[in-house]
Amino acid sequence: MNDHTFTLEEELTLYQVAQVQKDLLQAFEQGCRRFNLGHINTLDGAGVQLLLALVKTASAQEEAIEWTEVSAETRHVFAELGLEPLTHTDIPITRTPT
Amino acid sequence: MSDDISDSTLDMFLEEAGLMLTDFEQALLAMASASSDIETLNSAFRAAHNIKGTAGMFGFDRVVEFTHEVEALLDRMRAGSQDINETAVELLLQCLDQIQRLLGELSEPEQMAPNAERSRHLMQQLAALKKGGSAPPPVAAEKASPTVMPTAPTQVPEWLIWVRFGTDTLRDGYDPLSFLRYLDQVGTIQQVAPLTDHIPTLVELDAQGCQMGFALRLQSTASAKTIRDAFAFVADSCTLKVVPAPFSVATLQAELQSIEKDSPRVEHVLREIGVWPSAPNSRTDLPPIPHNATEDDLESLFNSIQQGQTPTTSVAPPSNPSVPQPKQTPAAPVIPATPPAAADHTPTKAQRKKPAAREKKPEESRYIRVPADKLDDLISQIGELVIAVSSAQIVAERHNIPEFSEIAQRLDKLVEGARDHSLRLRMVPVGETFSRFKRIVFDVSRTLGKEAELIITGGDTELDKSMVEQLIDPLTHLVRNALDHGLEAKEERLAQGKHPCGQIRLNAYHDAGAFVIEVSDDGRGLARERILSKAIERKLIPADSKLADEQVWNLVFLPGFSTAEQVTDLSGRGVGMDVVKRNIEALRGEVNLFSEPGAGSMVQIRLPLTLAIIDGFLVEVAGSHFVLPLDGVEECIAMPDLACPHPNAANYFELRNTVIPLLCLRRHFRLNAAPPRRYSVVIVRHGSQRVGLLVDRLHGEHQTVIKPLGRLFNRVRSISGSTILGSGSVALILDIAALLADASTLHTPTAPSISQSNPLSSHAE
């Protein structure tokens, strides 16, 4: 694990997920476990799915990740999907809620 | 855009996109009306989504990017987080125009730069509207009760909705979140749980594929069908279960075991959303299904439930410690809600295997789109066939072979049927074309600051498609003219005791083998004195002219005529009405104007039903053959004692106490030949006028394939086309309207006039 924080950009939608997937994977493989969701202002189902895949990746490797910040839009969307447990910051996340 | 798209594919796409834009426009205009409902909004969303999806398939990235923003706004409206008001609808209509421009870039690449600027500007406006929209509704979780189940019984039915989306859902442009938001409009989401177990790790993830799903408890008075319809866009690809309360273990397992194999997980999710009962409450309640149950075990379990037995299972208990164990959540009682009457939730196994969405397919595939060229070729071939059969009949008659005559007659009937059917293929209801004028009325009335509504009647009336297309420009001008000059300003209308909202009416109907369109308004009507003085001022008529109202109204069709006090962007430049008349006449039609001061005006257009083949009535005059459109023929009378009237004689005769003008075709066309032993009179009608045509011989009904006349004959009056007879000779098709006009000029003033009723009173209601 390194101290690096990976910051996601403003939009995380179908149009960005393919590229962000590569970036996230690379960051994760380099030991990054802290992710900043504070800048996200547009998030759709594809974006949520990507974030859940990130959690799954950590879980599969018995690692924990954490969000340093979670934007209001992200909280809103997570809450809509019943993913409130994923809205906390600075708490290690080890698995997807369901 | 992809370079490898063939022209024909692209044409097909553009045509398809045009239809989608029409649907979109109609939905947006409906949204602007007071009677708008959720289905209208859905139609607009569906249209925008389809445009985006189809454009994406063809690589129109600029269209996709722009339409995505439009779709997002509509989605917010569906979710209730965006107000639907006039400002929003007007912006969406502007966006629609922009999509049309972006699609047009293919033929006008020089428009790319200005279009990009327009797109950017409109996207900014969309974003501003989004920011200024009403506050988003509370999210499901905020609204959900902290307890798993409501403690008090509720009368609002509850539903379990379990959905897993198809892999291509995201790629097809659908966002699972949209469905969730839409469901929150159909009812109130009580609790939701994501189905994340199919989502793999980052390495394995297909980021644009969808592996998500969700389960939720919805409180709604909507029917099962309405709830299912929320997923209509993805019905073919998603796995969906809609289960009404009361929720029993048996019901839940029976419903879900066919789509979910991981029973403990299912139970866990159901407990999370509060639909898993805590204790058996009926003899069919079942123990939890072991996670390692095989399909056979589940099948057996299912059969037991179907037979009302308490099943037993020999499957080993779960041994995998990694499988999440059900939480010991508080008891979840069976909800005492009455299941909606519309839903029958005891389907047979066979019924469950037949998704509702697939049942819609036969309905959707009832239509085949065929290029118009192919229909033209078919009709052309049928035309040749008509002539060939006619030749066969002549040969059969000439050689007097009964069997041959019989076959020729049968062939004639069959060809007649084929002709009618093939012509019908080209006939389209005019309603679709009429609908596009809603936008013109919407835009122009706003520009003019007037209130106006468009009332369409007779939209089902059919007309040859090629004619419909050629009618668009003249009708556009007439509608704009009615808005600009016909309707008064709001204050003026109120002062006259009229409703502030003016009416423009588009009406279509069939009349005596003709297609009639009327464009009317309830405005101020035409100003007779102003028209007359303007015509005199422009030396269009002598200063001492004494004209009937009808003649005065028709002065406005003269080139360059305009009485508009103020020239506007819309009309009043004195061009247009003459072009309208010319366009209609080019379609073998005629146009008339009726007006009543203070009550409004009406432009009536009469057109032949088709330009290809007609049922004709064949007559002979001095050895030449003529065809009259059969629909205009009223009756035939043999007149043995009547000689061809002398040019100076009265050109009329009396028929059953009615005086009818008489036109001698022999003299009219200056045909010289020995007179027949006796004449016949064919009474023809056009609108409310009748005339008797004096002919030498009647040949009877004749299928007539219309062949256009060469340019040389453009100035020949009374003849609208030609046809080839079975014998190979040519017959001329008579233009009844022109013949009537000629008869009127020959008509002596002493003859009683045939009154023409004012169509304003009969059709403008």
Side-chain angles (χ1 to χ4, degrees):
Chain A
M1 179 175 169
N2 61 32
D3 292 337
H4 180 67
T5 298
F6 183 98
T7 300
L8 286 109
E9 300 202 358
E10 291 180 348
E11 290 195 13
L12 188 56
T13 68
L14 184 67
Y15 299 100
Q16 292 85 31
V17 286
Q19 183 57 48
V20 179
Q21 177 188 19
K22 289 178 194 162
D23 298 341
L24 279 175
L25 190 58
Q26 189 182 11
F28 188 85
E29 285 173 349
Q30 289 171 357
C32 176
R33 298 292 180 266
R34 290 161 61 84
F35 300 87
N36 183 351
L37 312 185
H39 295 189
I40 297 174
N41 62 20
T42 308
L43 180 64
D44 68 1
V48 173
Q49 181 175 271
L50 184 66
L51 294 174
L52 290 171
L54 172 65
V55 175
K56 277 274 174 82
T57 307
S59 174
Q61 297 185 19
E62 297 183 344
E63 294 267 5
I65 57 170
E66 63 183 55
W67 315 134
T68 56
E69 281 183 64
V70 179
S71 68
E73 171 70 6
T74 309
R75 282 179 201 282
H76 176 76
V77 172
F78 277 10
E80 278 184 301
L81 276 168
L83 289 167
E84 293 92 334
L86 286 188
T87 58
H88 304 296
T89 53
D90 300 323
I91 294 177
I93 300 164
T94 53
R95 66 177 185 86
T96 51
T98 307
Chain B
M1 193 192 76
S2 304
D3 294 331
D4 53 352
I5 300 171
S6 69
D7 286 349
S8 60
T9 312
L10 198 59
D11 286 346
M12 204 182 295
F13 159 68
L14 290 173
E15 198 179 329
E16 195 76 42
L19 293 173
M20 291 178 205
L21 284 169
T22 304
D23 291 345
F24 190 26
E25 187 177 69
Q26 295 311 314
L28 290 178
L29 290 169
M31 279 166 63
S33 71
S35 57
S36 175
D37 57 14
I38 186 72
E39 187 43 46
T40 309
L41 180 55
N42 279 342
S43 298
F45 175 80
R46 193 163 39 233
H49 177 78
N50 287 344
I51 292 165
K52 188 183 88 170
T54 317
M57 283 167 56
F58 287 87
F60 283 96
D61 294 340
R62 285 148 66 90
V63 178
V64 173
E65 185 188 5
F66 182 77
T67 314
H68 177 73
E69 297 302 323
V70 176
E71 186 191 6
L73 181 70
L74 287 164
D75 200 24
R76 284 175 61 81
M77 288 174 169
R78 275 163 38 104
S81 53
Q82 183 74 51
D83 284 342
I84 304 170
N85 52 34
E86 202 173 298
T87 311
V89 172
E90 279 185 22
L91 178 59
L92 284 168
L93 282 167
Q94 287 176 38
C95 290
L96 177 142
D97 294 339
Q98 178 63 6
I99 295 169
Q100 212 151 22
R101 283 190 209 102
L102 291 169
L103 288 169
E105 282 178 0
L106 192 73
S107 53
E108 294 175 289
E110 70 279 4
Q111 289 298 316
M112 285 179 80
N115 274 346
E117 180 56 28
R118 277 195 209 102
S119 288
R120 194 183 59 77
H121 181 64
L122 284 167
M123 281 159 86
Q124 280 173 352
Q125 284 184 273
L126 286 169
L129 196 68
K130 187 178 167 184
K131 280 178 188 163
S134 60
V139 295
E142 287 164 351
K143 285 191 287 182
S145 164
T147 56
V148 172
M149 293 293 291
T151 51
T154 172
Q155 292 304 308
V156 182
E158 287 208 333
W159 304 83
L160 161 68
I161 296 162
W162 188 286
V163 59
R164 282 196 190 269
F165 294 97
T167 313
D168 288 331
T169 303
L170 292 167
R171 266 189 286 264
D172 288 344
Y174 297 106
D175 186 350
L177 285 167
S178 305
F179 297 94
L180 205 58
R181 288 165 185 160
Y182 180 69
L183 284 174
D184 210 26
Q185 296 300 301
V186 174
T188 308
I189 295 175
Q190 298 295 303
Q191 198 107 23
V192 61
L195 302 176
T196 59
D197 52 315
H198 290 187
I199 299 175
T201 60
L202 280 174
V203 181
E204 298 157 328
L205 179 72
D206 168 11
Q208 293 181 333
C210 187
Q211 284 86 33
M212 291 179 76
F214 49 74
L216 63 91
R217 184 159 55 89
L218 179 77
Q219 211 170 50
S220 173
T221 52
S223 68
K225 183 183 178 303
T226 304
I227 296 171
R228 284 180 190 282
D229 282 351
F231 298 91
F233 298 138
V234 292
D236 283 346
S237 58
C238 78
T239 310
L240 174 68
K241 284 286 172 188
V242 177
V243 185
F247 306 117
S248 70
V249 172
T251 311
L252 295 170
Q253 287 181 333
E255 288 287 347
L256 297 175
Q257 61 94 12
S258 61
I259 56 167
E260 295 290 342
K261 301 301 177 200
D262 190 347
S263 300
R265 177 177 288 278
V266 170
E267 191 178 320
H268 171 68
V269 172
L270 293 177
R271 281 184 192 282
E272 280 214 342
I273 61 169
V275 297
W276 187 259
S278 63
N281 62 350
S282 78
R283 66 187 181 87
T284 55
D285 280 346
L286 305 169
I289 304 167
H291 81 281
N292 57 347
T294 63
E295 280 195 37
D296 288 343
D297 297 330
L298 294 168
E299 188 71 24
S300 156
L301 191 65
F302 175 79
N303 290 335
S304 303
I305 295 163
Q306 290 290 90
Q307 292 155 20
Q309 299 164 353
T310 303
T312 55
T313 173
S314 58
V315 180
S319 55
N320 186 348
S322 67
V323 174
Q325 295 302 306
K327 284 183 199 167
Q328 296 302 308
T329 48
V334 173
I335 299 171
T338 311
D344 178 7
H345 287 283
T346 52
T348 63
K349 193 174 175 185
Q351 282 171 327
R352 283 204 310 275
K353 284 183 176 174
K354 197 175 177 185
R358 290 198 168 84
E359 288 167 13
K360 290 181 184 170
K361 280 202 165 173
E363 182 73 20
E364 289 163 1
S365 57
R366 280 172 57 213
Y367 297 94
I368 303 171
R369 299 192 63 202
V370 179
D373 294 352
K374 288 189 179 178
L375 289 185
D376 290 343
D377 290 345
L378 174 68
I379 289 166
S380 175
Q381 288 288 312
I382 295 275
E384 296 305 318
L385 197 56
V386 167
I387 294 168
V389 169
S390 186
S391 303
Q393 277 182 314
I394 289 171
V395 173
E397 280 171 24
R398 190 181 299 153
H399 295 279
N400 199 16
I401 308 168
E403 291 89 347
F404 189 20
S405 292
E406 198 177 316
I407 290 168
Q409 271 184 8
R410 183 163 162 66
L411 267 176
D412 187 46
K413 284 282 169 205
L414 289 170
V415 170
E416 193 180 324
R419 178 204 68 175
D420 288 346
H421 281 97
S422 59
L423 282 178
R424 220 172 289 152
L425 294 175
R426 287 194 60 91
M427 303 294 271
V428 294
V430 289
E432 194 181 308
T433 304
F434 278 6
S435 295
R436 72 174 60 191
F437 294 105
K438 285 181 183 169
R439 174 71 187 279
I440 292 172
V441 172
F442 183 87
D443 287 347
V444 174
S445 59
R446 273 157 183 75
T447 306
L448 295 168
K450 293 180 180 177
E451 277 187 42
E453 64 171 332
L454 179 67
I455 297 168
I456 294 172
T457 47
D460 291 340
T461 316
E462 292 188 327
L463 182 65
D464 192 293
K465 184 165 169 51
S466 62
M467 294 178 81
V468 172
E469 284 161 3
Q470 292 176 65
L471 274 175
I472 291 169
D473 285 347
L475 286 179
T476 303
H477 187 85
L478 292 174
V479 170
R480 280 171 174 263
N481 228 27
L483 280 162
D484 199 9
H485 303 309
L487 293 186
E488 310 92 332
K490 189 176 164 184
E491 297 72 22
E492 193 181 332
R493 289 182 67 86
L494 284 169
Q496 291 176 9
K498 290 183 177 179
H499 193 281
C501 181
Q503 288 185 345
I504 306 284
R505 287 174 182 267
L506 276 174
N507 182 31
Y509 57 95
H510 286 160
D511 177 49
F515 175 85
V516 184
I517 295 184
E518 293 167 346
V519 183
S520 58
D521 65 73
D522 65 346
R524 56 173 72 92
L526 296 177
R528 182 188 158 90
E529 293 312 314
R530 267 178 57 207
I531 294 172
L532 269 177
S533 61
K534 186 69 74 177
I536 293 167
E537 179 192 317
R538 297 191 177 183
K539 298 188 169 49
L540 295 169
I541 54 169
D544 57 348
S545 295
K546 299 271 184 269
L547 299 180
D549 281 352
E550 197 181 318
Q551 291 170 306
V552 175
W553 309 147
N554 282 303
L555 289 173
V556 303
F557 291 115
L558 294 175
F561 188 93
S562 174
T563 62
E565 302 286 356
Q566 191 183 358
V567 172
T568 69
D569 287 343
L570 302 164
S571 51
R573 294 184 188 280
V575 293
M577 289 302 270
D578 60 318
V579 178
V580 167
K581 191 176 172 75
R582 208 162 55 232
N583 287 351
I584 299 302
E585 286 176 347
L587 294 169
R588 294 195 294 120
E590 63 166 20
V591 56
N592 282 299
L593 185 52
F594 304 90
S595 183
E596 201 172 308
S601 305
M602 181 180 79
V603 178
Q604 188 187 64
I605 296 169
R606 296 182 71 90
L607 294 162
L609 284 177
T610 177
L611 298 173
I613 305 173
I614 57 166
D615 275 324
F617 189 82
L618 189 63
V619 298
E620 193 176 326
V621 180
S624 297
H625 289 90
F626 296 94
V627 174
L628 294 158
L630 189 63
D631 292 317
V633 176
E634 276 200 344
E635 61 181 304
C636 301
I637 304 158
M639 302 188 81
D641 300 328
L642 185 71
C644 191
H646 188 272
N648 297 325
N651 297 300
Y652 61 93
F653 74 108
E654 192 177 313
L655 175 69
R656 295 189 288 273
N657 299 324
T658 306
V659 176
I660 294 177
L662 190 64
L663 187 70
C664 177
L665 291 184
R666 177 181 282 260
R667 183 179 304 122
H668 187 74
F669 291 114
R670 295 175 194 160
L671 299 170
N672 295 317
R677 198 157 49 86
R678 63 177 189 181
Y679 285 101
S680 294
V681 176
V682 184
I683 310 288
V684 293
R685 185 170 75 90
H686 181 70
S688 59
Q689 290 183 303
R690 293 196 297 172
V691 66
L693 303 176
L694 204 60
V695 302
D696 294 1
R697 195 175 163 198
L698 306 173
H699 285 286
E701 289 184 31
H702 181 265
Q703 287 188 66
T704 307
V705 182
I706 301 173
K707 304 278 183 189
L709 288 170
R711 296 178 67 178
L712 188 65
F713 298 94
N714 274 358
R715 291 180 175 274
V716 177
R717 279 178 60 84
S718 315
I719 293 173
S720 59
S722 66
T723 188
I724 298 168
L725 301 177
S727 60
S729 60
V730 173
L732 298 172
I733 300 166
L734 297 179
D735 180 345
I736 292 180
L739 284 174
L740 266 161
D742 289 346
S744 299
T745 57
L746 292 170
H747 192 186
T748 58
T750 51
S753 62
I754 298 166
S755 66
Q756 187 175 12
S757 62
N758 183 352
L760 266 180
S761 58
S762 55
H763 295 300
E765 292 302 314

